[in-house]
Each structure stands twice: as structure tokens, then as C-alpha cells.
Amino acid sequence: MTSEEGSTHRTDNQSTLLAPGLWISPIVTGLWQVADQERGGEALDPVAAADAMATYADAGLTTFDMADHYGSAEVVAGTLAARRDDLQFLTKWVPEPGPTSQAAVDEAVARALARLNTDCVDLLQFHAWNYADPSWLDCLFMLAEHQAAGRIRHLGLTNCDAVHLDMAVRSGVPIVTNQVCFSLLDRRAAGAMTEVCRTHGVRMLAYGTLAGGFLSERWLGRDEPPIGESLTWSQMKYRRFIDQAGGWDRFQGLLGAVDRVARRLSGAAERREPAGGTNPNVTSGSRAAAVDVSIANLACRYVMEHPAVAGIIVGARLGETSHIENNLNLFRFSLDDEARHDLDAACCELDPIGGDCGDEYRRPPYLTASGDLSHHVTSFPAPYPVRRSGAAEYVSTGTPWEKLAGYSRAVRKGNRIHVAGTTASHGDRLIGGRDPAAQTHFIIDKIEGALQSLGATLEDVVRTRVYIRDGVDWEPVARAHGARFAKIRPANTTVYANTVGDDLLVEIEVDAEVS
């Protein structure tokens, strides 16, 4: 073991341990804007774009984040990988909603390997659209098999909320990261997500840290730009975040506060090149000019110093603009207590972004470039198959007991839906481990999937009955139920009972009425 292996940061502060054996730059260069650069229909020249990527790597920013749907980003990265082996590639698989076959998972992994010109992906991150459809868990279990076979080094999630990150890890999926939006504008990740990450040793990768570039001097004192084609896709997306946070005028208040802190730190911080640094103009460890801390620097450093964050993702427009030197400033200063206090106070003047991490992709208001999901998905298939007989519709979730005991998971007759007693089983798997809260959340997901298949939602539930195995603490179950039904408020009965199966701690049945 080297002296660095027992810590999460190397001595030069320019790399961090993301997962066992995988060191990354804490400033990750994001390639999502490749898709925006190519939205006219013409792909980037892979060689020229790879040359632009190389300038980041030469400056010590050797880690790149991309996805299967970021235009030709994976192809460009693979072009650069053909000529150097000191890079780390973090990519994503974002399949369409609905059931996924083993063949589809195999194809996705093979495509990533081919594009990235490698035999093992450093980190493959998965995005789930609909937790009520358990195929998201099927995908993770199949990806874990590819990891065990050596095709994937580490598995991560992207835009996953705290409940389902916890559920996946407790179900035995070896998740090491979750990539989520996190900025001065959007601090959802600092809540429940941070606690789950700390519990399971999961590291966060933070994107949106600059809010599409709005957290910069360029927009200080500027008039509000309309959402339209004059903006990049990223800017259109984060203009919607600004609206949710209270609007442009209040956002200008945040920018002004950040600017004041940046100016104070610029006068206080002394520029030092980290040991082993790459800037030839600064002698290692020597004093030089004061650091010119920008608004963007401060916004990034605020998130970078969060204890659960392993890296921040800063977007690049390959071949167009480069902010490498400005990004390297992040290694030349840190926040003091006064700066943290002032930034926290400025953030509190905004309305908090509602919901949990990733909710902007799963429920209104859709804080995306288009304001809906039209650029992302074509449809949401029913989570479970429906059989029709006469005036009734029947849903099966495929558990062995349904066939053995001769019942349906849910039945709809007219405007009434009855969902049978539901446990945390999925095929031959137990979801959520032996954690009663995680099991409860999966059970409610399963119920929600049955309701969706029959044209209803959780909002249509009028009664729940919760059965808790003798000896199991009721409070985590009640809290999970409350998290999902607090705004719906169905009638409820909760009883202790000897539920079937030692590991099945909770069982829930519901009645719903569709108006």
C-alpha cells in the first residue's frame, strides 16, 4: 500500500479517490454540450475534438464525463483513448422507459466499450425514468453481472433520489456514485441525499454547478434572457431552475452576494501551485500574485468542498471555448468560515428547488431544456401486463405467489381498483434488504406500477392497510408511508401480523377510486 491509498485525496489536491482503484480529477470535464454543438445535425470532427480534449488532460484535468446520448461524445473520447492511457472516462446509459431485456443491456455495454475504445468502462452510470417500473432494478442487476465479468469497473447512478439510491444499495447492487444536480441555486443534494451517501459510502458527482454558465460575471447585472433558441440547451434548462428559485431579480441578488465574497477572497488568497502542479508560470509551493477568484470559481468551490462530493462536472464546448486556467484556480484557494456563512445566507434568500434529486426528470415542473420530456423519451409503457376479461382488468406483477395461489396483483372494475397484499419481492429477489423503510418504499413503487398499468395514480388511493411483521419497528414503515402519502392522506389501518416469509417485513394493500 502506498501512502496515498489510505486517503481520498492525493497530496497535490488535484486528484481524488472516487472508488477503489479509481482516482479522478475533482474537476471533471463534462461533454454534454457536444450534443448541443451537434444539434444542427453535423457531428464534430472526432480527431479535432479529441485534440481539444487533450488540452484539458495536459493541464491535469484527466477525467471526462459523457453519456450514450451526448451526441458523439463517447466516440470523441475513444479517439483520444487510442493515443493515451492516463484518462478516466465516466459514461452513462439512459435507456427508454419500459421493460429491458438481457440482450438490450448487453448491447448497451458493448456499444460503450466500442465507442470508448476500451475493454472495461471506468464508471457506467444508469438513469431510471420511472421507479414504479421495476425494470430499472433489473437493469442494475444485469449491469452488475457485466461488472463481475470485468467489462465495467464501477457502477453508478445518475439523477437518482435518496430513497432509491438507498434501496438499490440495500438490494445488493454495488453502487459507488450518484451524479446529481448541485449548486448554489439547487441545494437538494445537501439534504437526504448526503445522509444516504454517508451511510453507504457513496460519492456524489455534482453537475449543474455553474447553472449552465449563469453563475458567472457574464450575467451579473444583465437583463433576463428569454428562454429560446438564442440560448444553449443547458442555459434553457437552468433558466427554468432560476424561475423556480424565485425569478431573475432574486437570482441577481445571489450573483451580487457571490461577487462580493469572490472579491474579498481575491484580496485574501495567495496563489500557490499545488505540489506536482502543471502550471509552468508558478513555482511549486511559492508565493505569487493574489488569486483572482471569479464568481464561477466560488460557485464551484462551494460544491467541491461538500463532504459527500467527489467531483464537480464543468462543461466544455470542445474546439470553441476553454476555461482551463480559470478552472485550475479552484486548486489555489479555499473557502473560509465567513465565505461559507455569506454564501449559505445568500442561498437562503432563494426559494428551494422542490422535491429530491432527479425529480425534474420524473414529475412536473419538468426543469429541462424543453420544459417537458420530449427531448428525452417517446412514451412510458405500462409497468406491468394487463389482462382484460369482461368489464374487469387484471394486473400481474409476475411473483410466484400470484400463479401459485391464483390471484392478481390488482383488479379494476369500473372506477374502483383493489390492490392485493404486496411485499418487497421481485421475482426471486428481496428488494431493500432487511430494512423496513426500503422495503416499504419498494412496495409502494410496486403498487404505483400496478395503478399506472390500470390508468390510475397514487393520488387515487383512498385506503391503505399496512401489515408489519411482529418484532419489526413500526416507525420507519410509518415514515416511509408518510413520505409517499402525506399529500394524499388515504384512510389507513396498520396492524402487526405474522407476514409470510421471514425476510418480508411489511405487506401493504390499497383501494383506489378513479374519478
Side-chain angles (χ1 to χ4, degrees), residues 14 31 69 84 214 245 254 304 361 376 379 390 471 479 489:
Q14 286 187 261
L31 301 183
H69 62 290
R84 57 192 299 171
F214 283 118
L254 173 67
M304 181 185 287
Y361 290 103
H376 299 284
S379 65
R479 289 185 179 279
R489 298 295 181 93

Side-chain angles (χ1 to χ4, degrees), residues 379-463:
S379 65
F380 283 88
Y384 298 109
V386 178
R387 177 177 63 87
R388 292 171 175 82
S389 178
E393 295 177 296
Y394 303 85
V395 163
S396 170
T397 54
T399 59
W401 280 102
E402 290 170 279
K403 183 176 181 180
L404 177 68
Y407 70 89
S408 294
R409 174 65 50 210
V411 178
R412 175 171 181 169
K413 287 189 176 183
N415 68 338
R416 293 193 174 186
I417 300 174
H418 307 279
V419 183
T422 302
T423 61
S425 59
H426 178 55
D428 60 354
R429 296 181 184 274
L430 174 68
I431 304 302
R434 286 188 56 83
D435 183 81
Q439 286 197 19
T440 301
H441 279 293
F442 178 69
I443 290 167
I444 297 173
D445 287 344
K446 200 170 169 181
I447 291 169
E448 184 175 17
L451 292 171
Q452 287 180 4
S453 300
L454 293 171
T457 69
L458 283 183
E459 284 70 21
D460 296 313
V461 172
V462 296
R463 183 174 182 82

Side-chain angles (χ1 to χ4, degrees), residues 35 48 55 60 90 122 134 143 156 184 194 224 226 292 299 328 383 389 414 439 476 492-493 498 514:
T55 62
L90 321 179
D122 288 326
L143 289 173
L184 289 165
T194 292
E224 178 180 8
D292 184 13
L328 292 175
S389 178
Q439 286 197 19
N492 170 257
T493 300
N498 285 319
V514 183

Side-chain angles (χ1 to χ4, degrees), residues 237-276:
K237 172 180 178 177
Y238 290 104
R239 267 286 287 106
R240 300 184 193 280
F241 273 79
I242 289 170
D243 287 345
Q244 287 296 307
W248 189 256
D249 288 343
R250 287 167 70 181
F251 176 69
Q252 285 294 314
L254 173 67
L255 279 184
V258 178
D259 183 56
R260 290 189 291 275
V261 176
R263 289 175 181 275
R264 181 181 66 79
L265 290 180
S266 293
E270 294 177 342
R271 181 172 176 149
R272 293 179 182 272
E273 182 68 6

